[in-house]
Amino acid sequence: MVMPTRILAALTSRWPDRPVHGLARILKKRSTILLYGSACCLALSVCNPFHSAQAADREDADARATRIASSLLKQMTLQEKLNLIRGTEEPAAHNDGEAGYLPGVKRLNVPALRMADGPPGLLLSKPSVAEVATMGVAATFDPKLAFDNGVLIADEANRLNIDVVLQPFINIDRDITYSRAYNTFGEDPTLTSMIGAAEIRGIQSRNVMADAKHFIGYDTDGQHVFIDEQPLHEIYLAPFEAAINAHVASIMCAYNMINGPYACANRALMDHVLRDELGFKGFVVSDWGAVHDNLGLMAGLDMEMPGHLNPANPFAGIIPAYYDNTPPPHHVPPPDFDAMHRIFEGTIPEEPQPEPVKWDVLFPVNHQFRNLEGSKKPLIDVPGSCF
């Protein structure tokens, strides 16, 4: 049995002022697990910016990109491949508080990749344009304005040296108690599809990658989400199908469990529905801390975020890096729940004090943590593995 894993990456005419002239989306079906297979450059894939080009032209560009990616991958060490499928922290001298960072491969002129959170706009330590709230964009019912909003997001990304913008947020506002409902385009799947796809086209018209999120069922604060086939396709998948038709470069898998498994390890949805049924050919990145083991590699997950964190980072104790090959024994720093309290539980003085968050219940210590090096056996057995 072949375990599909798609690896994507390559050079084109993007970023002419950088050592690598650019990165174009290529679609290379996976034939083995990501790390110990033939290629690991997916993180550098990007949607073809020339959306008006004929399909044949895109296929030619993809074929060329595939050849370049294959050539690069043959020259990479295992550690260099790992550095392209799981994040790390950017050195402090250049760190702008971006959500995600990949160091690239300097000796092969593969540039670093920087990701900024949103919506709306870009969330960094540097000032950026305060943009219209997502609900406000949806309320225009105007795809042209949504496209223009995407252009503005991309122009800010280019100004701030950001390669991937982690938006649009195309989940459905079906639960009035959902704490992130304000990030959505509302409750209507048709409107969300139309506005989300237009924004993606606007973003990628400026050679910035868009990342549509969150796949799937992240429409509630509940952890265990169950959705039947008909509403799954008619309501929740519809905006993602529209995003794929808009050639979105990347899709983010969600925190929640969906019909049993965690979303980032749900092969039935990520491989069979997202890739085979909907035809998605970009890369799947995890939400930050949504990876719970390394078996997502065989379920359709391409990139782990945030990846390696400095032990002093308050999140280091609750978000270990699974896509890693550090030899055992593995040590996860103790969770800093005091820092979590200070970061997330502050209130305005005149507001009533909420109930304290039970951080130790939300994030129990993972005594069974195993990275790739600690889990060789189940990965070695995958046909085609070159571990």
Side-chain angles (χ1 to χ4, degrees), residues 9-12 14-24 41 44 68-69 71-73 75-76 80 84 102-113:
L11 309 169
T12 58
R14 188 167 177 257
W15 298 330
D17 57 333
R18 299 193 185 185
V20 169
H21 295 303
L23 306 169
C41 241
L44 304 176
I68 296 171
S71 175
L72 282 171
L73 288 162
Q75 302 174 64
M76 289 184 189
E80 287 169 341
L84 294 179
L102 295 170
V105 183
K106 188 174 181 179
R107 71 179 184 88
L108 296 177
N109 291 328
V110 177
L113 196 77

Side-chain angles (χ1 to χ4, degrees), residues 81 94 104 111 133 160 171 207 254 266 271-272 280 283 334-335 345 359:
K81 293 175 183 179
H94 305 287
L160 295 166
N171 296 109
N207 297 338
N266 194 317
D271 260 357
H272 301 320
F280 178 59
F283 64 93
E345 295 186 69
W359 293 105

Side-chain angles (χ1 to χ4, degrees), residues 117-119 169 177-184 213-214 218 221 255 287:
D117 210 358
F169 194 126
T177 68
Y178 180 36
S179 61
R180 297 188 68 180
Y182 67 94
N183 275 146
T184 72
K213 61 187 187 184
H214 309 76
Y218 190 54
D221 290 325
Y255 285 117
D287 206 337

Side-chain angles (χ1 to χ4, degrees), residues 170 172 189 193 215-216 229-244 269 273-274 277-278:
I170 54 174
I172 303 297
S193 300
F215 190 82
I216 193 168
E229 282 294 308
Q230 185 170 346
L232 178 71
H233 284 77
E234 293 180 357
I235 299 171
Y236 301 97
L237 282 173
F240 288 94
E241 182 176 17
I244 292 166
L269 287 171
V273 174
L274 184 63
E277 183 180 327
L278 299 184

